[in-house]
Amino acid sequence: MDRGLLQREVAEAIGVDLTTVLNWEIRRSEPALRNWPGIIQFLGYVPLKGGTSLADRLKVLRQLTGRSQARLADTLAVDESTLRGWEHGNHFPNPCNLKRLEGLFTTIGFEPRNDGG
């Protein structure tokens, strides 16, 4: 994408410093979780590739919202280890928790899947 912006202007729009943008460009570092909402807003689209499994979609959900596992677990009123298990595909949420997840997916524009995978 070429908007004719200076790196400094990109940094300001995303809410990071110039060095951060430079490091991303040369692949010295990856965007931190907290940077994703600003990146997505700046780009106007979601540059993340995720699978269709619940585990993959949970990881993308966290990136889109800039939440750590601990924060998302807190939002869902579950233990962080429970969320970690969902993200690793070790187990699947019960119907109550799945309904909470569906609400979050809908909020960010994801169509939730109810097939367990």
Side-chain angles (χ1 to χ4, degrees), residues 8-117:
R8 158 181 61 74
E9 294 169 316
V10 172
E12 287 175 19
I14 295 173
V16 296
D17 61 32
L18 175 60
T19 304
T20 300
V21 171
L22 295 173
N23 284 332
W24 293 343
E25 285 184 350
I26 62 172
R27 297 181 187 248
R28 180 175 287 160
S29 65
E30 297 270 326
L33 192 57
R34 68 180 175 278
N35 300 129
W36 279 106
I39 292 168
I40 293 165
Q41 183 177 2
F42 171 74
L43 293 175
Y45 69 95
V46 179
L48 304 171
K49 294 179 183 173
T52 57
S53 72
L54 177 66
D56 290 337
R57 294 163 62 80
L58 278 170
K59 292 172 193 169
V60 172
L61 170 71
R62 285 195 311 101
Q63 286 182 297
L64 291 174
T65 59
R67 294 178 184 169
S68 65
Q69 283 182 332
R71 251 183 87 205
L72 182 56
D74 196 41
T75 299
L76 295 168
V78 298
D79 188 80
E80 186 177 351
S81 64
T82 299
L83 179 63
R84 192 176 307 113
W86 297 345
E87 282 194 9
H88 289 124
N90 296 336
H91 53 273
F92 193 73
N94 65 32
C96 180
N97 288 326
L98 188 58
K99 187 166 183 77
R100 288 184 187 136
L101 285 170
E102 288 173 355
L104 287 174
F105 287 138
T106 300
T107 299
I108 63 166
F110 269 6
E111 290 298 321
R113 292 176 49 124
N114 294 316
D115 61 4

